[in-house]
Amino acid sequence: METTRTLSFMLPKLKYDYSALEPFIDAKTMEIHYTKHHASYTNNLNAAIESKNFEENTIEDFLRRISQHDVSIRNNGGGYYNHNLLWEIMTPVKGQQPKGKLLDAIDSSFGSIKDLKDAFTKAAMGRFGSGWAWLIKRGNSLVVSSTPNQDNPLMDVAEIQGVPVLCIDLWEHAYYLKYQNRRAEYIEAFWQIINWDEVERRFNM
Ligand code: MN3
């Protein structure tokens, strides 16, 4: 007897309040971003895979073979994964700094944290239109990149592939209410709320 296994993805719970990242990210933006945008990617992804049989078991499995799937899974699967990661790598806990093997890799790959910040900011400013900038792990080193739309570095279609450890959302929905056209200010503010402990945990995985 053939069984149909229906896979479905859950919108993860936010670990902090909508207002927790104030004044860097305002509460209204967080609320809309999570309850509308991320929820839509999740629902649309589930609709795109409903009642179909796939070999994939995890979102990462889908992304690594995304060239085999239709554009709806690419856009919504990317949107689902990217926002899951985004909520995790931001924190209301002030004053975190990279340390340990992560700091070693930052120093050997970029020179210093300042150099990493410059490279990350340049990639984020240089992304035309909507997309993401990334810090990705390739072996024991780190690389900065950016992708359009909801693509990400796990995808087999990405220009620069690797495992994401840090990301910034460059869609206007991520910053327009507070920063309007001032993307540079948003990127500078974002740098103040990075959860370096989580970035380090992902780097060490
Ligand atoms: Mn977004």
Side-chain angles (χ1 to χ4, degrees):
M1 195 176 78
E2 198 175 322
T3 56
T4 304
R5 179 197 52 143
T6 303
L7 194 59
S8 136
F9 293 100
M10 295 259 297
L11 182 67
K13 266 194 130 57
L14 264 190
K15 293 176 180 168
Y16 40 80
D17 294 338
Y18 300 136
S19 62
L21 304 177
E22 295 261 16
F24 306 104
I25 308 286
D26 62 285
K28 195 72 188 164
T29 295
M30 277 302 298
E31 181 181 355
I32 297 170
H33 204 171
Y34 174 73
T35 65
K36 306 292 182 198
H37 294 275
H38 196 191
S40 291
Y41 295 124
T42 308
N43 293 337
N44 293 338
L45 171 62
N46 285 330
I49 63 174
E50 195 178 11
S51 312
K52 293 180 191 154
N53 276 308
F54 294 105
E55 288 172 36
E56 287 81 356
N57 290 304
T58 66
I59 188 62
E60 288 87 349
D61 291 344
F62 277 100
L63 300 179
R64 289 195 178 98
R65 297 167 28 116
I66 205 68
S67 60
Q68 312 291 309
H69 296 292
D70 67 38
V71 69
S72 177
I73 296 180
R74 178 170 172 176
N75 290 339
N76 293 294
Y80 175 71
Y81 175 95
N82 295 349
H83 292 86
N84 286 0
L85 177 64
L86 179 65
W87 311 138
E88 293 285 321
I89 57 80
M90 297 193 293
T91 180
V93 179
K94 300 291 185 303
Q96 287 194 17
Q97 290 294 327
K99 55 183 173 29
K101 286 181 189 159
L102 173 66
L103 181 59
D104 294 343
I106 289 171
D107 288 343
S108 62
S109 302
F110 300 98
S112 68
I113 297 168
K114 168 76 166 60
D115 293 309
L116 162 62
K117 186 183 176 187
D118 290 348
F120 189 80
T121 301
K122 190 177 172 199
M125 287 302 294
R127 169 52 52 192
F128 183 77
S130 297
W132 295 72
W134 305 93
L135 178 63
I136 60 185
K137 184 181 178 185
R138 288 161 63 95
N140 281 321
S141 65
L142 290 163
V143 179
V144 161
S145 73
S146 81
T147 54
N149 306 315
Q150 294 293 354
D151 285 1
N152 79 41
L154 287 177
M155 290 181 175
D156 59 0
V157 295
E159 207 176 318
I160 300 177
Q161 292 173 35
V163 178
V165 295
L166 175 66
C167 60
I168 183 170
D169 190 341
L170 301 169
W171 287 57
E172 285 185 343
H173 68 229
Y175 62 90
Y176 204 84
L177 290 181
K178 183 175 172 73
Y179 296 98
Q180 293 86 48
N181 62 319
R182 304 186 305 277
R183 188 188 277 191
E185 268 180 48
Y186 160 65
I187 298 165
E188 181 64 33
F190 176 83
W191 202 258
Q192 310 301 313
I193 48 169
I194 294 174
N195 186 346
W196 286 110
D197 290 350
E198 177 61 18
V199 177
E200 183 181 3
R201 191 184 71 78
R202 287 169 181 272
F203 179 79
N204 289 331
M205 276 190 339

